[in-house]
Amino acid sequence: MTDSEQQHFTGTVWRPPYEAHSVLLQTTVGCTHHACKFCTLYGDLRFRLSPIEEIEADLRLIARHQPRARRVFLVGANPFVLSCNRLVRLADRIRDFLPKVRTIGMFARITDIAAKNDEELRELRARGITGLTIGTETGDDSSLAFMNKGCTAADMLEQCRRLDAAGIEYYFTYMTGLAGSGNGQRAARATAALYNELHPYIIGIVSLTLFPEAPLAAEAAAGRFLEAGERERLEELRTFLARLTIPTTIMGHTVSNAVPLLGRMPEDRARMLRELDEALACFSEEELTVYRRGIEHL
C-alpha cells in the first residue's frame, strides 16, 4: 500500500489484541462519553461521525488489498452508539465492497446498548454485528461512580443480558487497581459476582496505569485517590480468578500487566493462580513499581 492509498484514521488507532486479524475501518472518531477519569486513549479528539465518502473510499482500498476479508472491526471508542438504521446501512455497505465478510465487531458503551430496543439488537445480530468489546472495568459501584463511567453494575447486568438474548457475543475489560489502595479485594469480589451472571466470551485484563494527562492524576495529587500497590493488584486479580465460575478466555498479556496471564477458564485456573502466587513470592513491591513507572504509553 502506497502513501497515496492510506486509509482515513484519526489519532491513535486502538483495537483489542483479539482483533489483530480483523480489517480495521474508521466510522467514528473519539468517544461520546469522554469523561472517565482514568482514560487518556482519545486525548482532545471530539466525537464525530466519519463521512460516508471516507468510509467508501476506505472500503474500496480494503477491497483492493484484502478482498477475502471475513471480519471487520470498526475503530473509535464506541461506534455502537450509531443508530440501528445507520449500523444496518453500514453493514450492508461493507458487504457491497467485501462480500465475504461474516461478522463486524466494535467497541461499545453500556449506554449504547440501552438506547436500542430488543428488536433492533436482533436485527443487528442478523446483519452480522457481533463481538462487542465493552470496557466494564469493574463491577464495583463505588469505583464506577468515582471514575465517571456513566453506568452501574446493575446497568451492565441488564444490558448484557439483552445482548445474550439477541445472540450478540461480547467481550469485557477488567481493570485491576481501579478501586484504589485498600479496595482491591472488594472490587475483585464485586466484579467476579457480576461476570458470573453473564457470558463474556473473552475477559481482557488490564491494570490501571496513571498518566499525567488523565483527570485521575489531579485526583491523586489532591489526595482524593490513592493508587493501589502492585502486589495488591496481583492479589486482586488472584481473588477475581478464584471466584470466577463461568467458562471464558482470560487475556491479560498487555503491557499494563506486570505479570502477563493467558488461559481458558476453568481449565487453566489452577495454572494461572500458580503463576500469580509465584510472582508474589518472587517480586517485591519495588521491582513491580519500577515496571509500572517504565510504561510510557499503552
Side-chain angles (χ1 to χ4, degrees), residues 102-157:
R102 295 293 175 264
T103 58
I104 301 168
M106 67 198 79
F107 288 115
R109 285 180 47 77
I110 292 297
T111 49
D112 302 338
I113 305 164
K116 295 170 177 62
N117 63 39
D118 292 344
E119 183 179 352
E120 288 174 327
L121 292 178
R122 289 192 295 271
E123 171 67 12
L124 293 173
R125 179 61 186 89
R127 300 302 178 111
I129 294 178
T130 186
L132 301 182
T133 295
I134 305 169
T136 52
E137 323 305 356
T138 182
D140 177 50
D141 277 327
S142 296
S143 300
L144 291 168
F146 182 78
M147 295 297 172
N148 286 337
K149 275 296 294 181
C151 64
T152 65
D155 295 330
M156 296 175 190
L157 184 63

Side-chain angles (χ1 to χ4, degrees), residues 274-285:
R274 185 171 63 252
E275 290 174 2
L276 288 171
D277 288 339
E278 290 171 353
L280 285 165
C282 293
F283 297 115
S284 67
E285 182 69 29

Side-chain angles (χ1 to χ4, degrees), residues 65-81:
H65 293 277
Q66 295 175 281
R68 301 180 65 83
R70 293 300 186 101
R71 180 170 174 84
V72 172
F73 183 79
L74 308 183
V75 301
N78 58 319
F80 202 63
V81 74

Side-chain angles (χ1 to χ4, degrees), residues 14-279:
W14 301 99
R15 55 107 181 123
Y18 41 82
E19 298 286 359
H21 298 293
S22 303
V23 165
L24 304 183
L25 178 67
Q26 179 172 284
T27 54
T28 63
V29 173
C31 179
T32 56
H33 185 60
H34 205 45
C36 296
K37 292 182 180 179
F38 57 86
C39 185
T40 59
L41 297 187
Y42 297 95
D44 296 328
L45 288 177
R46 296 175 63 86
F47 179 82
R48 67 170 175 84
L49 306 181
S50 296
I52 188 62
E53 296 79 12
E54 288 186 2
I55 295 172
E56 291 186 350
D58 287 348
L59 285 170
R60 288 190 193 93
L61 187 58
I62 294 167
R64 192 178 309 143
H65 293 277
Q66 295 175 281
R68 301 180 65 83
R70 293 300 186 101
R71 180 170 174 84
V72 172
F73 183 79
L74 308 183
V75 301
N78 58 319
F80 202 63
V81 74
L82 298 176
S83 70
C84 177
N85 287 340
R86 188 182 289 267
L87 284 169
V88 166
R89 291 196 301 270
L90 179 59
D92 289 344
R93 203 71 185 113
I94 287 171
R95 289 191 177 85
D96 286 342
F97 288 90
L98 301 167
K100 293 188 178 296
V101 164
R102 295 293 175 264
T103 58
I104 301 168
M106 67 198 79
F107 288 115
R109 285 180 47 77
I110 292 297
T111 49
D112 302 338
I113 305 164
K116 295 170 177 62
N117 63 39
D118 292 344
E119 183 179 352
E120 288 174 327
L121 292 178
R122 289 192 295 271
E123 171 67 12
L124 293 173
R125 179 61 186 89
R127 300 302 178 111
I129 294 178
T130 186
L132 301 182
T133 295
I134 305 169
T136 52
E137 323 305 356
T138 182
D140 177 50
D141 277 327
S142 296
S143 300
L144 291 168
F146 182 78
M147 295 297 172
N148 286 337
K149 275 296 294 181
C151 64
T152 65
D155 295 330
M156 296 175 190
L157 184 63
E158 178 184 2
Q159 299 308 321
C160 290
R161 280 179 169 169
R162 294 180 63 231
L163 293 181
D164 285 334
I168 295 177
E169 190 176 279
Y170 53 90
Y171 321 126
F172 285 164
T173 301
Y174 173 36
M175 183 178 289
T176 63
L178 194 67
S181 179
N183 301 314
Q185 292 300 304
R186 183 189 75 204
R189 291 191 295 269
T191 307
L194 172 64
Y195 290 6
N196 284 339
E197 296 294 321
L198 296 167
H199 303 90
Y201 187 73
I202 294 172
I203 299 174
I205 308 294
V206 297
S207 192
L208 176 67
T209 304
L210 191 52
F211 295 108
E213 61 270 28
L216 188 58
E219 298 278 12
R224 293 187 291 268
F225 179 78
L226 183 61
E227 283 191 81
E230 297 298 323
R231 292 175 62 82
E232 180 180 358
R233 298 174 193 223
L234 296 181
E235 290 163 354
E236 174 185 347
L237 181 53
R238 192 190 193 289
T239 297
F240 169 74
L241 292 177
R243 287 175 171 262
L244 195 66
T245 59
I246 55 172
T248 189
T249 296
I250 300 296
M251 299 187 74
H253 56 321
T254 65
V255 68
S256 72
N257 296 301
V259 178
L261 286 180
L262 184 64
R264 180 73 188 164
M265 292 287 285
E267 300 94 314
D268 297 323
R269 183 203 315 273
R271 190 256 303 161
M272 289 189 286
L273 293 178
R274 185 171 63 252
E275 290 174 2
L276 288 171
D277 288 339
E278 290 171 353

